[in-house]
Amino acid sequence: MNTNDLILQTATKIVSFIILLFSLHIFFAGHYNPGGGFVGGLLTSGAIVLLLLAYDIKTVANILPFDYRIMIAVGLLFAIGTGAGSLIFNVPFLTHAFGDFTLPILGKTSLHTAVLFDIGVYLVVVGATMTIIQTIGESE
Amino acid sequence: MSAVAEWTIVICILIGTFLSIVAAFGVLKLPDVYTRNHAASKSTTLGVLLTLLGTLIYFYATDGEFNARIVLGIVFIFITAPVAGHLISRAAYHTGVELSERSVQDDLSQKK
């Protein structure tokens, strides 16, 4: 059967960018509003799954050349690294620090090391979800 | 909250819920998949859009907070709901779901 996915693919091109932007918003809003690394990661993998639905696995692997198992490892390293970093300053494991900084473009922002931990959660969630889905999708 | 904003909110949300009810009746009453899909995808899209618009105006009028996520949701539903309806209809046609007995023309079947 000759199928033509033009409408789905064109809609995906626009919609996946909206989902990716919203996942970034959810990720960075996590400290003061509902959101955080987990939902942000799930939304990002949702956008990639939409790309997988509209195109095939090889095309998506060309667009996003990530090895998702390495992504899980990097995420765990981020999480452990923020935890172990507190040991350098002679405070208990996983003690977080924050401070107000004046950045060149953004102006006065408060930076918190919990964001680094959240990046770890985000990477692990994206990596685990995409590993599961790609492993199931590739087996025939 | 001013009276204009109040009435706009009430009218938006009431028309939105009314359109959703109309869509539900359409799904119950219409004869085949394609006409049901026509009712469901069109009027629920507009119904949800108007409800979200009412919510946006409500939070802007009461808290003075412009919620950009609702605008993003409106745009998102406006793009995705018709595409979802199209895909469901096409999947139904390709798996051989019959048209209603009252249909007079089937252009896609003559192309095969």
Side-chain angles (χ1 to χ4, degrees):
Chain A
M1 186 173 22
N2 183 22
T3 54
N4 183 0
D5 286 337
L6 183 67
I7 296 180
L8 176 62
Q9 288 177 349
T10 315
T12 302
K13 275 176 200 163
I14 303 165
V15 161
S16 58
F17 278 108
I18 298 180
I19 304 177
L20 279 175
L21 256 180
F22 190 61
S23 78
L24 278 182
H25 165 77
I26 283 275
F27 173 75
F28 283 111
H31 201 69
Y32 296 108
N33 294 104
F38 189 77
V39 260
L42 279 182
L43 266 171
T44 307
S45 43
I48 304 174
V49 167
L50 182 64
L51 285 174
L52 280 173
L53 284 174
Y55 301 90
D56 54 333
I57 286 184
K58 279 176 188 166
T59 318
V60 178
N62 272 333
I63 307 169
L64 303 165
F66 303 128
D67 189 343
Y68 293 105
R69 274 161 289 188
I70 294 177
M71 193 184 267
I72 298 177
V74 171
L76 288 174
L77 270 181
F78 259 102
I80 290 192
T82 38
S86 61
L87 294 177
I88 301 172
F89 301 101
N90 219 3
V91 283
F93 186 64
L94 276 176
T95 307
H96 287 292
F98 66 97
D100 291 330
F101 298 95
T102 310
L103 297 179
I105 300 170
L106 297 171
K108 192 186 174 194
T109 42
S110 68
L111 299 176
H112 201 294
T113 52
V115 175
L116 293 175
F117 191 82
D118 237 16
I119 288 176
V121 175
Y122 177 87
L123 289 176
V124 169
V125 168
V126 173
T129 320
M130 293 317 296
T131 310
I132 293 169
I133 287 168
Q134 280 197 335
T135 318
I136 295 172
E138 276 169 352
S139 66
E140 285 168 2
Chain B
M1 200 191 320
S2 70
V4 179
E6 226 166 53
W7 278 99
T8 321
I9 294 161
V10 167
I11 288 170
C12 273
I13 290 183
L14 279 182
I15 293 179
T17 42
F18 173 74
L19 283 173
S20 302
I21 293 172
V22 166
F25 273 112
V27 171
L28 284 175
K29 284 288 187 183
L30 287 169
D32 65 349
V33 174
Y34 310 103
T35 45
R36 279 179 200 159
N37 197 354
H38 168 83
S41 62
K42 275 194 179 60
S43 27
T44 37
T45 308
L46 198 57
V48 172
L49 282 189
L50 283 173
T51 315
L52 281 177
L53 198 65
T55 319
L56 178 76
I57 301 170
Y58 174 79
F59 280 112
Y60 189 64
T62 50
D63 301 344
E65 176 200 357
F66 186 78
N67 200 334
R69 275 169 290 181
I70 297 180
V71 180
L72 203 62
I74 290 174
V75 173
F76 191 79
I77 289 172
F78 204 58
I79 297 173
T80 52
V83 176
H86 158 76
L87 287 174
I88 291 170
S89 272
R90 208 181 59 159
Y93 192 84
H94 282 313
T95 46
V97 177
E98 295 292 321
L99 272 71
S100 154
E101 291 165 3
R102 275 183 277 171
S103 324
V104 290
Q105 198 175 355
D106 186 2
D107 279 339
L108 279 177
S109 72
Q110 288 162 4
K111 283 181 186 171
K112 283 176 186 170

